[in-house]
Amino acid sequence: MQNYTMSDLGIFCTTIAGAIVLICGAIQKSKCSKINLCCLKCDRDPTIKSEPTGLTPRLPNRDNP
């Protein structure tokens, strides 16, 4: 076997984490109500929309300095 450096291990972990994030993002945006992924099963209602949190940044009015 070859010896691996910490840099190689970091790149591998980052690649795996990126793939997991992409899969979760695709599942979140999907319109499916039943999701089966390997050993994970999920029944959900894709029509539920989240309420705005009110934390959206607002630009200041230029009329009132």
Side-chain angles (χ1 to χ4, degrees):
M1 290 188 67
Q2 296 178 350
N3 291 330
Y4 297 104
T5 64
M6 291 299 286
S7 176
D8 293 338
L9 181 62
I11 291 170
F12 175 74
C13 291
T14 302
T15 302
I16 296 300
I20 291 171
V21 167
L22 286 174
I23 290 171
C24 290
I27 290 172
Q28 184 178 9
K29 290 181 181 181
S30 73
K31 305 276 187 210
C32 300
S33 60
K34 293 185 180 182
I35 298 173
N36 294 324
L37 179 66
C38 298
C39 60
L40 302 174
K41 294 181 181 179
C42 178
D43 292 332
R44 65 188 188 113
D45 184 7
T47 59
I48 296 175
K49 300 288 183 186
S50 62
E51 294 294 324
T53 60
L55 299 176
T56 306
R58 306 274 187 227
L59 295 175
N61 290 337
R62 294 185 183 217
D63 298 337
N64 297 331

